[in-house]
């Protein structure tokens, strides 16, 4: 069984920065593509950033140039560095990962529990 745990959320003023972490644990052989999503109150969940197993990245237009996704494969952890934060970035941020489990070598799609990011003065 695989668990994803997000951390790093909080309250920040507009223009500020936060770094979110998504740590995978459990019976892991490898962590493949990882996606950060966010969901604001009353809105649909939206994709924020993607990082592949090879390190390729892609971003939503709304965060390009402000957010950076990266990964540390040795720690099975993916980060989302968020700079120049705006009130419209306020949401619960979730990570989602495709994980290959040890032994059976099967793919498991896992979600974290989410971490709240609030951008407000």
């Amino acid at each position: 069984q695989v668990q994803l745990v997000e951390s790093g959320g909080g309250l920040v003023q507009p223009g500020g920065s936060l770094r979110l972490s998504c740590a995978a644990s459990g019976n892991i052989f490898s962590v493949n593509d990882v996606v950060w999503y966010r969901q604001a109150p009353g809105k649909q969940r939206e994709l924020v950033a993607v990082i592949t197993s090879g390190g390729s990245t892609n971003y939503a237009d709304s965060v390009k140039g402000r957010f950076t996704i990266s990964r540390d494969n040795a720690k099975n952890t993916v980060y989302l560095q968020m700079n120049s934060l705006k009130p419209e970035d306020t949401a619960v941020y979730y990570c989602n990962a495709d994980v290959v489990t040890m032994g059976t070598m099967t793919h498991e799609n896992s979600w974290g529990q989410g971490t709240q990011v609030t951008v407000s003065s």
Side-chain angles (χ1 to χ4, degrees), residues 57-109:
T57 60
N58 202 3
Y59 299 91
D61 287 343
S62 59
V63 307
K64 278 182 183 176
R66 300 188 298 121
F67 290 11
T68 303
I69 189 170
S70 62
R71 63 191 298 157
D72 183 337
N73 290 330
K75 296 181 179 179
N76 287 330
T77 300
V78 169
Y79 304 98
L80 186 68
Q81 178 67 43
M82 306 187 295
N83 299 328
S84 303
L85 283 161
K86 304 175 182 180
E88 50 264 43
D89 295 317
T90 296
V92 178
Y93 284 69
Y94 300 89
C95 65
N96 171 256
D98 173 59
V99 179
V100 178
T101 56
M102 198 79 73
T104 59
M105 302 299 282
T106 54
H107 288 256
E108 183 174 320
N109 186 266

mmCIF file of all heavy atoms in Angstrom, residues 57-109:
data_model
loop_
_atom_site.group_PDB
_atom_site.id
_atom_site.type_symbol
_atom_site.label_atom_id
_atom_site.label_comp_id
_atom_site.label_asym_id
_atom_site.label_seq_id
_atom_site.Cartn_x
_atom_site.Cartn_y
_atom_site.Cartn_z
ATOM 1 N N THR A 57 8.547 18.685 -17.226
ATOM 2 C CA THR A 57 7.529 19.408 -16.468
ATOM 3 C C THR A 57 6.556 20.125 -17.392
ATOM 4 O O THR A 57 6.874 20.434 -18.547
ATOM 5 C CB THR A 57 8.180 20.443 -15.533
ATOM 6 O OG1 THR A 57 8.939 21.381 -16.314
ATOM 7 C CG2 THR A 57 9.106 19.773 -14.536
ATOM 8 N N ASN A 58 5.379 20.378 -16.846
ATOM 9 C CA ASN A 58 4.379 21.152 -17.552
ATOM 10 C C ASN A 58 3.540 21.872 -16.508
ATOM 11 O O ASN A 58 3.368 21.371 -15.386
ATOM 12 C CB ASN A 58 3.500 20.248 -18.417
ATOM 13 C CG ASN A 58 2.828 21.008 -19.536
ATOM 14 O OD1 ASN A 58 3.066 22.203 -19.712
ATOM 15 N ND2 ASN A 58 1.984 20.336 -20.296
ATOM 16 N N TYR A 59 3.019 23.049 -16.895
ATOM 17 C CA TYR A 59 2.313 23.895 -15.938
ATOM 18 C C TYR A 59 1.020 24.445 -16.530
ATOM 19 O O TYR A 59 0.914 24.651 -17.749
ATOM 20 C CB TYR A 59 3.193 25.084 -15.537
ATOM 21 C CG TYR A 59 4.492 24.707 -14.876
ATOM 22 C CD1 TYR A 59 5.641 24.512 -15.626
ATOM 23 C CD2 TYR A 59 4.559 24.537 -13.491
ATOM 24 C CE1 TYR A 59 6.830 24.149 -15.024
ATOM 25 C CE2 TYR A 59 5.744 24.184 -12.884
ATOM 26 C CZ TYR A 59 6.878 23.988 -13.651
ATOM 27 O OH TYR A 59 8.052 23.627 -13.047
ATOM 28 N N ALA A 60 0.075 24.712 -15.657
ATOM 29 C CA ALA A 60 -1.096 25.464 -16.065
ATOM 30 C C ALA A 60 -0.656 26.879 -16.423
ATOM 31 O O ALA A 60 0.277 27.419 -15.820
ATOM 32 C CB ALA A 60 -2.110 25.505 -14.927
ATOM 33 N N ASP A 61 -1.345 27.476 -17.389
ATOM 34 C CA ASP A 61 -0.975 28.827 -17.813
ATOM 35 C C ASP A 61 -1.017 29.808 -16.647
ATOM 36 O O ASP A 61 -0.221 30.748 -16.587
ATOM 37 C CB ASP A 61 -1.921 29.297 -18.920
ATOM 38 C CG ASP A 61 -1.652 28.606 -20.242
ATOM 39 O OD1 ASP A 61 -0.559 28.020 -20.406
ATOM 40 O OD2 ASP A 61 -2.528 28.658 -21.117
ATOM 41 N N SER A 62 -1.935 29.582 -15.722
ATOM 42 C CA SER A 62 -2.130 30.518 -14.619
ATOM 43 C C SER A 62 -0.960 30.553 -13.639
ATOM 44 O O SER A 62 -0.847 31.493 -12.850
ATOM 45 C CB SER A 62 -3.416 30.176 -13.860
ATOM 46 O OG SER A 62 -3.358 28.853 -13.358
ATOM 47 N N VAL A 63 -0.088 29.550 -13.682
ATOM 48 C CA VAL A 63 1.019 29.509 -12.725
ATOM 49 C C VAL A 63 2.390 29.531 -13.398
ATOM 50 O O VAL A 63 3.411 29.573 -12.708
ATOM 51 C CB VAL A 63 0.927 28.274 -11.796
ATOM 52 C CG1 VAL A 63 -0.440 28.200 -11.132
ATOM 53 C CG2 VAL A 63 1.238 26.978 -12.543
ATOM 54 N N LYS A 64 2.421 29.515 -14.716
ATOM 55 C CA LYS A 64 3.703 29.528 -15.430
ATOM 56 C C LYS A 64 4.523 30.746 -15.049
ATOM 57 O O LYS A 64 4.001 31.862 -14.982
ATOM 58 C CB LYS A 64 3.465 29.519 -16.943
ATOM 59 C CG LYS A 64 3.194 28.152 -17.520
ATOM 60 C CD LYS A 64 3.009 28.218 -19.036
ATOM 61 C CE LYS A 64 2.666 26.860 -19.601
ATOM 62 N NZ LYS A 64 2.377 26.901 -21.049
ATOM 63 N N GLY A 65 5.793 30.500 -14.789
ATOM 64 C CA GLY A 65 6.684 31.587 -14.410
ATOM 65 C C GLY A 65 6.670 31.905 -12.930
ATOM 66 O O GLY A 65 7.530 32.657 -12.449
ATOM 67 N N ARG A 66 5.704 31.336 -12.199
ATOM 68 C CA ARG A 66 5.617 31.585 -10.752
ATOM 69 C C ARG A 66 5.847 30.315 -9.932
ATOM 70 O O ARG A 66 6.404 30.384 -8.840
ATOM 71 C CB ARG A 66 4.245 32.168 -10.393
ATOM 72 C CG ARG A 66 3.943 33.480 -11.073
ATOM 73 C CD ARG A 66 2.653 34.105 -10.524
ATOM 74 N NE ARG A 66 1.474 33.271 -10.762
ATOM 75 C CZ ARG A 66 0.688 32.808 -9.785
ATOM 76 N NH1 ARG A 66 0.938 33.089 -8.530
ATOM 77 N NH2 ARG A 66 -0.369 32.062 -10.086
ATOM 78 N N PHE A 67 5.388 29.183 -10.455
ATOM 79 C CA PHE A 67 5.503 27.912 -9.732
ATOM 80 C C PHE A 67 6.560 27.038 -10.406
ATOM 81 O O PHE A 67 6.703 27.059 -11.631
ATOM 82 C CB PHE A 67 4.177 27.159 -9.745
ATOM 83 C CG PHE A 67 3.083 27.772 -8.914
ATOM 84 C CD1 PHE A 67 3.183 29.042 -8.377
ATOM 85 C CD2 PHE A 67 1.921 27.041 -8.669
ATOM 86 C CE1 PHE A 67 2.167 29.593 -7.610
ATOM 87 C CE2 PHE A 67 0.893 27.571 -7.909
ATOM 88 C CZ PHE A 67 1.014 28.853 -7.388
ATOM 89 N N THR A 68 7.246 26.246 -9.603
ATOM 90 C CA THR A 68 8.232 25.302 -10.113
ATOM 91 C C THR A 68 8.032 23.956 -9.431
ATOM 92 O O THR A 68 8.035 23.880 -8.197
ATOM 93 C CB THR A 68 9.663 25.793 -9.859
ATOM 94 O OG1 THR A 68 9.843 27.085 -10.455
ATOM 95 C CG2 THR A 68 10.669 24.816 -10.452
ATOM 96 N N ILE A 69 7.869 22.913 -10.244
ATOM 97 C CA ILE A 69 7.745 21.559 -9.716
ATOM 98 C C ILE A 69 9.089 20.860 -9.873
ATOM 99 O O ILE A 69 9.784 21.031 -10.879
ATOM 100 C CB ILE A 69 6.612 20.783 -10.434
ATOM 101 C CG1 ILE A 69 6.336 19.454 -9.735
ATOM 102 C CG2 ILE A 69 6.893 20.605 -11.914
ATOM 103 C CD1 ILE A 69 5.066 18.751 -10.255
ATOM 104 N N SER A 70 9.466 20.099 -8.858
ATOM 105 C CA SER A 70 10.736 19.374 -8.904
ATOM 106 C C SER A 70 10.586 18.083 -8.107
ATOM 107 O O SER A 70 9.581 17.891 -7.403
ATOM 108 C CB SER A 70 11.873 20.230 -8.335
ATOM 109 O OG SER A 70 11.629 20.548 -6.967
ATOM 110 N N ARG A 71 11.575 17.214 -8.211
ATOM 111 C CA ARG A 71 11.479 15.946 -7.499
ATOM 112 C C ARG A 71 12.840 15.510 -6.990
ATOM 113 O O ARG A 71 13.879 15.822 -7.589
ATOM 114 C CB ARG A 71 10.876 14.861 -8.398
ATOM 115 C CG ARG A 71 11.660 14.489 -9.622
ATOM 116 C CD ARG A 71 10.821 13.613 -10.569
ATOM 117 N NE ARG A 71 10.433 12.358 -9.925
ATOM 118 C CZ ARG A 71 9.384 11.633 -10.312
ATOM 119 N NH1 ARG A 71 8.622 12.030 -11.313
ATOM 120 N NH2 ARG A 71 9.116 10.496 -9.686
ATOM 121 N N ASP A 72 12.805 14.768 -5.890
ATOM 122 C CA ASP A 72 13.992 14.132 -5.322
ATOM 123 C C ASP A 72 13.676 12.644 -5.289
ATOM 124 O O ASP A 72 12.972 12.165 -4.379
ATOM 125 C CB ASP A 72 14.264 14.681 -3.921
ATOM 126 C CG ASP A 72 15.525 14.118 -3.299
ATOM 127 O OD1 ASP A 72 15.959 13.012 -3.710
ATOM 128 O OD2 ASP A 72 16.075 14.758 -2.404
ATOM 129 N N ASN A 73 14.165 11.916 -6.266
ATOM 130 C CA ASN A 73 13.808 10.503 -6.380
ATOM 131 C C ASN A 73 14.337 9.676 -5.210
ATOM 132 O O ASN A 73 13.723 8.680 -4.818
ATOM 133 C CB ASN A 73 14.316 9.943 -7.702
ATOM 134 C CG ASN A 73 13.552 10.507 -8.892
ATOM 135 O OD1 ASN A 73 12.372 10.850 -8.788
ATOM 136 N ND2 ASN A 73 14.225 10.621 -10.025
ATOM 137 N N ALA A 74 15.456 10.088 -4.659
ATOM 138 C CA ALA A 74 16.018 9.340 -3.524
ATOM 139 C C ALA A 74 15.101 9.402 -2.303
ATOM 140 O O ALA A 74 15.093 8.493 -1.474
ATOM 141 C CB ALA A 74 17.392 9.889 -3.173
ATOM 142 N N LYS A 75 14.329 10.482 -2.219
ATOM 143 C CA LYS A 75 13.419 10.659 -1.085
ATOM 144 C C LYS A 75 11.975 10.369 -1.460
ATOM 145 O O LYS A 75 11.080 10.536 -0.627
ATOM 146 C CB LYS A 75 13.526 12.094 -0.543
ATOM 147 C CG LYS A 75 14.885 12.436 0.032
ATOM 148 C CD LYS A 75 14.897 13.860 0.572
ATOM 149 C CE LYS A 75 16.248 14.201 1.181
ATOM 150 N NZ LYS A 75 16.292 15.597 1.688
ATOM 151 N N ASN A 76 11.738 9.970 -2.706
ATOM 152 C CA ASN A 76 10.351 9.764 -3.185
ATOM 153 C C ASN A 76 9.481 10.981 -2.865
ATOM 154 O O ASN A 76 8.330 10.843 -2.414
ATOM 155 C CB ASN A 76 9.750 8.499 -2.578
ATOM 156 C CG ASN A 76 10.336 7.222 -3.182
ATOM 157 O OD1 ASN A 76 10.737 7.204 -4.337
ATOM 158 N ND2 ASN A 76 10.388 6.167 -2.388
ATOM 159 N N THR A 77 10.016 12.137 -3.120
ATOM 160 C CA THR A 77 9.327 13.377 -2.769
ATOM 161 C C THR A 77 9.303 14.325 -3.960
ATOM 162 O O THR A 77 10.298 14.447 -4.683
ATOM 163 C CB THR A 77 9.997 14.067 -1.572
ATOM 164 O OG1 THR A 77 9.958 13.185 -0.443
ATOM 165 C CG2 THR A 77 9.288 15.358 -1.203
ATOM 166 N N VAL A 78 8.181 14.965 -4.151
ATOM 167 C CA VAL A 78 8.007 15.985 -5.180
ATOM 168 C C VAL A 78 7.662 17.295 -4.490
ATOM 169 O O VAL A 78 6.907 17.309 -3.509
ATOM 170 C CB VAL A 78 6.910 15.575 -6.177
ATOM 171 C CG1 VAL A 78 6.528 16.724 -7.092
ATOM 172 C CG2 VAL A 78 7.375 14.373 -6.994
ATOM 173 N N TYR A 79 8.211 18.375 -5.024
ATOM 174 C CA TYR A 79 8.013 19.694 -4.429
ATOM 175 C C TYR A 79 7.277 20.608 -5.406
ATOM 176 O O TYR A 79 7.363 20.442 -6.625
ATOM 177 C CB TYR A 79 9.362 20.321 -4.084
ATOM 178 C CG TYR A 79 10.207 19.466 -3.182
ATOM 179 C CD1 TYR A 79 11.205 18.652 -3.708
ATOM 180 C CD2 TYR A 79 10.005 19.451 -1.812
ATOM 181 C CE1 TYR A 79 11.985 17.849 -2.891
ATOM 182 C CE2 TYR A 79 10.778 18.657 -0.979
ATOM 183 C CZ TYR A 79 11.764 17.855 -1.530
ATOM 184 O OH TYR A 79 12.522 17.055 -0.711
ATOM 185 N N LEU A 80 6.579 21.576 -4.848
ATOM 186 C CA LEU A 80 5.982 22.633 -5.644
ATOM 187 C C LEU A 80 6.380 23.960 -4.998
ATOM 188 O O LEU A 80 5.857 24.314 -3.930
ATOM 189 C CB LEU A 80 4.458 22.507 -5.719
ATOM 190 C CG LEU A 80 3.769 23.496 -6.646
ATOM 191 C CD1 LEU A 80 4.137 23.204 -8.108
ATOM 192 C CD2 LEU A 80 2.254 23.466 -6.473
ATOM 193 N N GLN A 81 7.329 24.638 -5.621
ATOM 194 C CA GLN A 81 7.748 25.953 -5.150
ATOM 195 C C GLN A 81 6.816 26.984 -5.744
ATOM 196 O O GLN A 81 6.697 27.077 -6.971
ATOM 197 C CB GLN A 81 9.193 26.238 -5.558
ATOM 198 C CG GLN A 81 9.692 27.615 -5.158
ATOM 199 C CD GLN A 81 9.815 27.781 -3.653
ATOM 200 O OE1 GLN A 81 10.292 26.897 -2.958
ATOM 201 N NE2 GLN A 81 9.377 28.937 -3.149
ATOM 202 N N MET A 82 6.163 27.738 -4.888
ATOM 203 C CA MET A 82 5.175 28.713 -5.340
ATOM 204 C C MET A 82 5.633 30.103 -4.938
ATOM 205 O O MET A 82 5.753 30.404 -3.745
ATOM 206 C CB MET A 82 3.809 28.403 -4.719
ATOM 207 C CG MET A 82 3.335 26.980 -4.962
ATOM 208 S SD MET A 82 1.657 26.683 -4.400
ATOM 209 C CE MET A 82 1.859 26.916 -2.642
ATOM 210 N N ASN A 83 5.915 30.926 -5.948
ATOM 211 C CA ASN A 83 6.364 32.299 -5.716
ATOM 212 C C ASN A 83 5.325 33.285 -6.251
ATOM 213 O O ASN A 83 4.442 32.914 -7.020
ATOM 214 C CB ASN A 83 7.703 32.541 -6.409
ATOM 215 C CG ASN A 83 8.806 31.647 -5.892
ATOM 216 O OD1 ASN A 83 8.827 31.275 -4.719
ATOM 217 N ND2 ASN A 83 9.730 31.282 -6.768
ATOM 218 N N SER A 84 5.466 34.529 -5.833
ATOM 219 C CA SER A 84 4.561 35.592 -6.290
ATOM 220 C C SER A 84 3.100 35.164 -6.159
ATOM 221 O O SER A 84 2.298 35.310 -7.090
ATOM 222 C CB SER A 84 4.870 35.967 -7.750
ATOM 223 O OG SER A 84 6.217 36.371 -7.894
ATOM 224 N N LEU A 85 2.770 34.649 -5.020
ATOM 225 C CA LEU A 85 1.429 34.120 -4.818
ATOM 226 C C LEU A 85 0.363 35.200 -4.875
ATOM 227 O O LEU A 85 0.595 36.355 -4.461
ATOM 228 C CB LEU A 85 1.356 33.373 -3.482
ATOM 229 C CG LEU A 85 1.992 31.974 -3.522
ATOM 230 C CD1 LEU A 85 2.316 31.476 -2.121
ATOM 231 C CD2 LEU A 85 1.069 30.998 -4.235
ATOM 232 N N LYS A 86 -0.787 34.816 -5.404
ATOM 233 C CA LYS A 86 -1.919 35.717 -5.583
ATOM 234 C C LYS A 86 -3.112 35.175 -4.795
ATOM 235 O O LYS A 86 -3.204 33.965 -4.559
ATOM 236 C CB LYS A 86 -2.293 35.802 -7.066
ATOM 237 C CG LYS A 86 -1.161 36.218 -7.983
ATOM 238 C CD LYS A 86 -1.606 36.156 -9.432
ATOM 239 C CE LYS A 86 -0.476 36.529 -10.381
ATOM 240 N NZ LYS A 86 -0.907 36.463 -11.804
ATOM 241 N N PRO A 87 -4.052 36.030 -4.449
ATOM 242 C CA PRO A 87 -5.242 35.530 -3.744
ATOM 243 C C PRO A 87 -5.961 34.419 -4.510
ATOM 244 O O PRO A 87 -6.521 33.504 -3.889
ATOM 245 C CB PRO A 87 -6.114 36.787 -3.618
ATOM 246 C CG PRO A 87 -5.130 37.905 -3.575
ATOM 247 C CD PRO A 87 -4.017 37.496 -4.506
ATOM 248 N N GLU A 88 -5.920 34.483 -5.830
ATOM 249 C CA GLU A 88 -6.593 33.454 -6.626
ATOM 250 C C GLU A 88 -5.866 32.106 -6.588
ATOM 251 O O GLU A 88 -6.383 31.121 -7.124
ATOM 252 C CB GLU A 88 -6.773 33.908 -8.078
ATOM 253 C CG GLU A 88 -5.530 34.433 -8.747
ATOM 254 C CD GLU A 88 -5.428 35.949 -8.698
ATOM 255 O OE1 GLU A 88 -5.717 36.554 -7.629
ATOM 256 O OE2 GLU A 88 -5.036 36.538 -9.740
ATOM 257 N N ASP A 89 -4.708 32.043 -5.972
ATOM 258 C CA ASP A 89 -4.034 30.757 -5.765
ATOM 259 C C ASP A 89 -4.565 30.028 -4.530
ATOM 260 O O ASP A 89 -4.191 28.888 -4.272
ATOM 261 C CB ASP A 89 -2.519 30.961 -5.606
ATOM 262 C CG ASP A 89 -1.860 31.493 -6.855
ATOM 263 O OD1 ASP A 89 -2.187 31.008 -7.953
ATOM 264 O OD2 ASP A 89 -1.004 32.395 -6.737
ATOM 265 N N THR A 90 -5.420 30.680 -3.784
ATOM 266 C CA THR A 90 -5.994 30.064 -2.589
ATOM 267 C C THR A 90 -6.793 28.828 -2.970
ATOM 268 O O THR A 90 -7.702 28.894 -3.813
ATOM 269 C CB THR A 90 -6.903 31.063 -1.852
ATOM 270 O OG1 THR A 90 -6.106 32.152 -1.381
ATOM 271 C CG2 THR A 90 -7.610 30.400 -0.684
ATOM 272 N N ALA A 91 -6.454 27.713 -2.360
ATOM 273 C CA ALA A 91 -7.102 26.432 -2.677
ATOM 274 C C ALA A 91 -6.518 25.351 -1.770
ATOM 275 O O ALA A 91 -5.526 25.582 -1.073
ATOM 276 C CB ALA A 91 -6.865 26.056 -4.135
ATOM 277 N N VAL A 92 -7.151 24.189 -1.830
ATOM 278 C CA VAL A 92 -6.531 22.989 -1.271
ATOM 279 C C VAL A 92 -5.715 22.354 -2.390
ATOM 280 O O VAL A 92 -6.226 22.139 -3.497
ATOM 281 C CB VAL A 92 -7.580 22.003 -0.736
ATOM 282 C CG1 VAL A 92 -6.897 20.745 -0.205
ATOM 283 C CG2 VAL A 92 -8.414 22.658 0.355
ATOM 284 N N TYR A 93 -4.462 22.084 -2.101
ATOM 285 C CA TYR A 93 -3.555 21.516 -3.090
ATOM 286 C C TYR A 93 -3.372 20.021 -2.806
ATOM 287 O O TYR A 93 -3.095 19.622 -1.663
ATOM 288 C CB TYR A 93 -2.210 22.237 -3.050
ATOM 289 C CG TYR A 93 -2.255 23.597 -3.694
ATOM 290 C CD1 TYR A 93 -2.956 24.652 -3.109
ATOM 291 C CD2 TYR A 93 -1.619 23.846 -4.908
ATOM 292 C CE1 TYR A 93 -3.021 25.889 -3.705
ATOM 293 C CE2 TYR A 93 -1.673 25.094 -5.515
ATOM 294 C CZ TYR A 93 -2.375 26.101 -4.915
ATOM 295 O OH TYR A 93 -2.444 27.343 -5.515
ATOM 296 N N TYR A 94 -3.526 19.234 -3.864
ATOM 297 C CA TYR A 94 -3.417 17.783 -3.763
ATOM 298 C C TYR A 94 -2.317 17.280 -4.697
ATOM 299 O O TYR A 94 -2.147 17.803 -5.799
ATOM 300 C CB TYR A 94 -4.713 17.106 -4.193
ATOM 301 C CG TYR A 94 -5.936 17.476 -3.398
ATOM 302 C CD1 TYR A 94 -6.720 18.563 -3.759
ATOM 303 C CD2 TYR A 94 -6.326 16.720 -2.295
ATOM 304 C CE1 TYR A 94 -7.859 18.900 -3.043
ATOM 305 C CE2 TYR A 94 -7.467 17.045 -1.575
ATOM 306 C CZ TYR A 94 -8.220 18.140 -1.958
ATOM 307 O OH TYR A 94 -9.348 18.465 -1.239
ATOM 308 N N CYS A 95 -1.623 16.240 -4.273
ATOM 309 C CA CYS A 95 -0.736 15.572 -5.211
ATOM 310 C C CYS A 95 -1.310 14.204 -5.560
ATOM 311 O O CYS A 95 -2.017 13.576 -4.763
ATOM 312 C CB CYS A 95 0.688 15.453 -4.679
ATOM 313 S SG CYS A 95 0.913 14.431 -3.229
ATOM 314 N N ASN A 96 -0.996 13.801 -6.771
ATOM 315 C CA ASN A 96 -1.457 12.538 -7.317
ATOM 316 C C ASN A 96 -0.270 11.885 -8.008
ATOM 317 O O ASN A 96 0.446 12.560 -8.767
ATOM 318 C CB ASN A 96 -2.592 12.781 -8.311
ATOM 319 C CG ASN A 96 -2.976 11.550 -9.090
ATOM 320 O OD1 ASN A 96 -2.628 11.404 -10.257
ATOM 321 N ND2 ASN A 96 -3.686 10.641 -8.457
ATOM 322 N N ALA A 97 -0.055 10.609 -7.745
ATOM 323 C CA ALA A 97 1.123 9.952 -8.293
ATOM 324 C C ALA A 97 0.800 8.559 -8.807
ATOM 325 O O ALA A 97 -0.054 7.848 -8.246
ATOM 326 C CB ALA A 97 2.210 9.856 -7.223
ATOM 327 N N ASP A 98 1.511 8.205 -9.855
ATOM 328 C CA ASP A 98 1.484 6.833 -10.356
ATOM 329 C C ASP A 98 2.695 6.121 -9.755
ATOM 330 O O ASP A 98 3.838 6.509 -10.031
ATOM 331 C CB ASP A 98 1.559 6.816 -11.882
ATOM 332 C CG ASP A 98 1.713 5.405 -12.426
ATOM 333 O OD1 ASP A 98 0.831 4.583 -12.161
ATOM 334 O OD2 ASP A 98 2.706 5.145 -13.110
ATOM 335 N N VAL A 99 2.414 5.115 -8.936
ATOM 336 C CA VAL A 99 3.472 4.442 -8.195
ATOM 337 C C VAL A 99 3.490 2.966 -8.572
ATOM 338 O O VAL A 99 2.429 2.324 -8.629
ATOM 339 C CB VAL A 99 3.254 4.582 -6.673
ATOM 340 C CG1 VAL A 99 4.343 3.855 -5.904
ATOM 341 C CG2 VAL A 99 3.211 6.054 -6.276
ATOM 342 N N VAL A 100 4.684 2.457 -8.819
ATOM 343 C CA VAL A 100 4.841 1.022 -9.044
ATOM 344 C C VAL A 100 5.212 0.385 -7.707
ATOM 345 O O VAL A 100 6.180 0.801 -7.060
ATOM 346 C CB VAL A 100 5.920 0.732 -10.094
ATOM 347 C CG1 VAL A 100 6.104 -0.771 -10.270
ATOM 348 C CG2 VAL A 100 5.550 1.382 -11.422
ATOM 349 N N THR A 101 4.445 -0.603 -7.308
ATOM 350 C CA THR A 101 4.662 -1.221 -5.997
ATOM 351 C C THR A 101 5.677 -2.355 -6.095
ATOM 352 O O THR A 101 5.783 -3.032 -7.122
ATOM 353 C CB THR A 101 3.347 -1.754 -5.418
ATOM 354 O OG1 THR A 101 2.767 -2.676 -6.361
ATOM 355 C CG2 THR A 101 2.368 -0.628 -5.179
ATOM 356 N N MET A 102 6.407 -2.518 -5.017
ATOM 357 C CA MET A 102 7.424 -3.562 -4.939
ATOM 358 C C MET A 102 6.759 -4.940 -4.968
ATOM 359 O O MET A 102 5.645 -5.110 -4.489
ATOM 360 C CB MET A 102 8.193 -3.384 -3.624
ATOM 361 C CG MET A 102 9.508 -4.088 -3.580
ATOM 362 S SD MET A 102 10.793 -3.201 -4.455
ATOM 363 C CE MET A 102 11.083 -1.849 -3.324
ATOM 364 N N GLY A 103 7.463 -5.891 -5.514
ATOM 365 C CA GLY A 103 6.969 -7.259 -5.503
ATOM 366 C C GLY A 103 6.065 -7.550 -6.688
ATOM 367 O O GLY A 103 6.468 -8.173 -7.660
ATOM 368 N N THR A 104 4.828 -7.040 -6.613
ATOM 369 C CA THR A 104 3.875 -7.309 -7.693
ATOM 370 C C THR A 104 4.149 -6.459 -8.927
ATOM 371 O O THR A 104 3.673 -6.782 -10.018
ATOM 372 C CB THR A 104 2.440 -7.029 -7.224
ATOM 373 O OG1 THR A 104 2.351 -5.652 -6.810
ATOM 374 C CG2 THR A 104 2.061 -7.933 -6.058
ATOM 375 N N MET A 105 4.889 -5.358 -8.737
ATOM 376 C CA MET A 105 5.229 -4.448 -9.837
ATOM 377 C C MET A 105 3.965 -3.935 -10.536
ATOM 378 O O MET A 105 3.940 -3.770 -11.755
ATOM 379 C CB MET A 105 6.157 -5.140 -10.836
ATOM 380 C CG MET A 105 7.442 -5.634 -10.222
ATOM 381 S SD MET A 105 8.438 -4.301 -9.526
ATOM 382 C CE MET A 105 9.160 -3.639 -10.984
ATOM 383 N N THR A 106 2.935 -3.697 -9.762
ATOM 384 C CA THR A 106 1.704 -3.141 -10.328
ATOM 385 C C THR A 106 1.669 -1.639 -10.119
ATOM 386 O O THR A 106 2.312 -1.113 -9.208
ATOM 387 C CB THR A 106 0.467 -3.783 -9.682
ATOM 388 O OG1 THR A 106 0.572 -3.640 -8.245
ATOM 389 C CG2 THR A 106 0.386 -5.258 -10.011
ATOM 390 N N HIS A 107 0.896 -0.971 -10.976
ATOM 391 C CA HIS A 107 0.754 0.478 -10.881
ATOM 392 C C HIS A 107 -0.390 0.811 -9.936
ATOM 393 O O HIS A 107 -1.477 0.220 -10.026
ATOM 394 C CB HIS A 107 0.469 1.087 -12.258
ATOM 395 C CG HIS A 107 1.656 1.082 -13.158
ATOM 396 N ND1 HIS A 107 2.405 2.217 -13.422
ATOM 397 C CD2 HIS A 107 2.237 0.084 -13.863
ATOM 398 C CE1 HIS A 107 3.386 1.902 -14.240
ATOM 399 N NE2 HIS A 107 3.307 0.618 -14.532
ATOM 400 N N GLU A 108 -0.138 1.737 -9.061
ATOM 401 C CA GLU A 108 -1.160 2.210 -8.132
ATOM 402 C C GLU A 108 -1.266 3.719 -8.258
ATOM 403 O O GLU A 108 -0.263 4.435 -8.183
ATOM 404 C CB GLU A 108 -0.795 1.823 -6.692
ATOM 405 C CG GLU A 108 -1.834 2.213 -5.661
ATOM 406 C CD GLU A 108 -1.502 1.670 -4.270
ATOM 407 O OE1 GLU A 108 -1.047 0.527 -4.173
ATOM 408 O OE2 GLU A 108 -1.692 2.419 -3.297
ATOM 409 N N ASN A 109 -2.478 4.198 -8.472
ATOM 410 C CA ASN A 109 -2.708 5.641 -8.551
ATOM 411 C C ASN A 109 -3.114 6.142 -7.180
ATOM 412 O O ASN A 109 -4.139 5.712 -6.646
ATOM 413 C CB ASN A 109 -3.788 5.947 -9.580
ATOM 414 C CG ASN A 109 -3.951 7.435 -9.804
ATOM 415 O OD1 ASN A 109 -4.783 8.079 -9.176
ATOM 416 N ND2 ASN A 109 -3.144 7.983 -10.689
#
